[in-house]
């Protein structure tokens, strides 16, 4: 079945460091891919998305490129801030099953 | 974008009791989803609730344990019945934005954190 695998956390970085959170997927068909972020005490909110191969989603300095050949959607940011501390979830949606599949989440902690 | 309100935001419950979680959306939506987020784990879909029909449950979840109501296009409830400590979790209500037939993002409520003693 469809699945999402993302790197385990927690990830601890200093402010202004470069961030990469790896995400790979398995799916039949052509899924849409998403990154959601959950700040402490809040619900999940969409960070960025890509709906087809080679699309790049971007928001708030975060980027991720839909790589069909490597079935990956890695999240990157060039310079993290303390306010980026949160849990990040990679997710996919396939219209065939009409289901969203979430990864296990990666907790990011940014130190000042 | 949809705004979702969930109540209660948190509760501490006794073993064997039941609790109903309410989810109110500020716009009419066709599909509403109920997820469970256990500590340190991912989101697991419990069921999909469509207005006017019975909820569709995922493998491992049954209606007797998690009855769902969907009386209209803006409201749904999830009841966690006969609770045990294993039901301690965050329960999330979610709706989907669909634009021009293309599935978009999910909007989530802030979640209901249940602790069962």
């Amino acid at each position: 079945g469809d699945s999402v695998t993302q790197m385990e956390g927690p990830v601890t970085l200093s402010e202004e460091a470069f961030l990469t959170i790896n995400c790979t997927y398995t799916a039949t068909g052509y899924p849409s891919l998403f990154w959601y972020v959950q700040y402490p005490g809040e619900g999940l909110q969409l960070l960025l998305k890509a709906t087809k191969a080679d699309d790049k989603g971007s928001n708030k300095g975060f980027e991720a490129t839909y790589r069909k050949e490597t079935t990956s959607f890695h999240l990157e940011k060039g310079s993290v801030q303390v306010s980026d501390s949160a849990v990040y979830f990679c997710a996919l949606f396939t219209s065939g099953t009409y289901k969203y599949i979430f990864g296990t989440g990666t907790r990011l902690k940014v130190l000042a | 974008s949809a705004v979702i309100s969930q109540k209660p935001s948190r509760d501490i419950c006794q073993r064997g009791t039941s609790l109903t979680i309410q989810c109110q959306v500020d716009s009419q939506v066709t599909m509403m989803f109920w997820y469970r987020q256990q500590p340190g784990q991912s989101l697991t879909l419990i069921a999909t609730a469509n207005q006017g029909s019975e909820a569709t449950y995922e493998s491992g979840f049954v209606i007797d344990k998690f009855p769902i109501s969907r009386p209209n296009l803006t409201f749904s409830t999830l009841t966690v019945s006969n609770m045990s400590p294993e039901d301690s979790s965050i329960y999330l209500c979610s709706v989907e934005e669909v634009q021009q037939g293309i599935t978009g993002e999910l909007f989530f409520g802030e979640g209901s954190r249940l602790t069962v003693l």
Side-chain angles (χ1 to χ4, degrees):
Chain A
D2 297 349
S3 66
V4 173
T5 303
Q6 61 181 105
M7 64 188 287
E8 290 191 20
V11 174
T12 302
L13 296 174
S14 298
E15 207 165 24
E16 299 183 3
F18 185 87
L19 169 72
T20 299
I21 300 178
N22 290 337
C23 172
T24 57
Y25 67 91
T26 58
T28 53
Y30 303 95
S32 296
L33 302 174
F34 305 83
W35 277 101
Y36 285 84
V37 58
Q38 185 177 33
Y39 297 104
E42 300 183 14
L44 279 76
Q45 56 186 273
L46 180 69
L47 180 60
L48 53 84
K49 69 178 182 183
T51 57
K52 61 182 187 296
D54 299 325
D55 269 2
K56 177 185 283 188
S58 61
N59 186 25
K60 300 181 181 180
F62 290 89
E63 293 183 340
T65 301
Y66 189 141
R67 301 286 188 199
K68 187 170 181 292
E69 63 277 13
T70 55
T71 61
S72 65
F73 193 55
H74 304 321
L75 182 68
E76 297 181 335
K77 186 174 186 181
S79 176
V80 294
Q81 305 300 311
V82 173
S83 57
D84 294 325
S85 298
V87 181
Y88 293 82
F89 291 90
C90 185
L92 68 80
F93 173 85
T94 51
S95 56
T97 57
Y98 211 92
K99 281 191 174 60
Y100 288 83
I101 306 294
F102 286 84
T104 52
T106 302
R107 182 176 299 278
L108 170 66
K109 185 173 182 179
V110 180
L111 304 176
Chain B
S1 60
V3 177
I4 302 172
S5 302
Q6 266 187 253
K7 291 192 297 186
S9 58
R10 58 178 63 232
D11 207 340
I12 299 174
C13 307
Q14 297 298 315
R15 183 194 300 258
T17 63
S18 299
L19 182 79
T20 296
I21 302 167
Q22 299 180 2
C23 178
Q24 179 76 52
V25 188
D26 68 344
S27 58
Q28 294 184 338
V29 294
T30 302
M31 299 173 73
M32 296 178 75
F33 307 93
W34 286 98
Y35 285 89
R36 182 171 71 184
Q37 184 182 15
Q38 294 184 303
Q41 297 188 26
S42 184
L43 280 71
T44 302
L45 181 64
I46 298 171
T48 302
N50 292 335
Q51 192 268 337
S53 62
E54 285 195 5
T56 302
Y57 289 83
E58 297 301 305
S59 176
F61 298 96
V62 294
I63 188 171
D64 290 346
K65 176 67 175 177
F66 297 100
I68 288 172
S69 77
R70 183 78 201 275
N72 57 52
L73 291 173
T74 64
F75 188 78
S76 178
T77 67
L78 170 75
T79 299
V80 186
S81 303
N82 188 25
M83 287 186 284
S84 66
E86 292 72 32
D87 295 320
S88 297
S89 188
I90 299 174
Y91 293 84
L92 294 160
C93 173
S94 174
V95 304
E96 176 189 50
E97 178 188 74
V98 179
Q99 296 175 334
Q100 299 176 328
I102 298 174
T103 300
E105 65 181 284
L106 290 178
F107 294 92
F108 288 87
E110 293 185 355
S112 300
R113 182 183 294 272
L114 301 188
T115 302
V116 184
L117 303 179

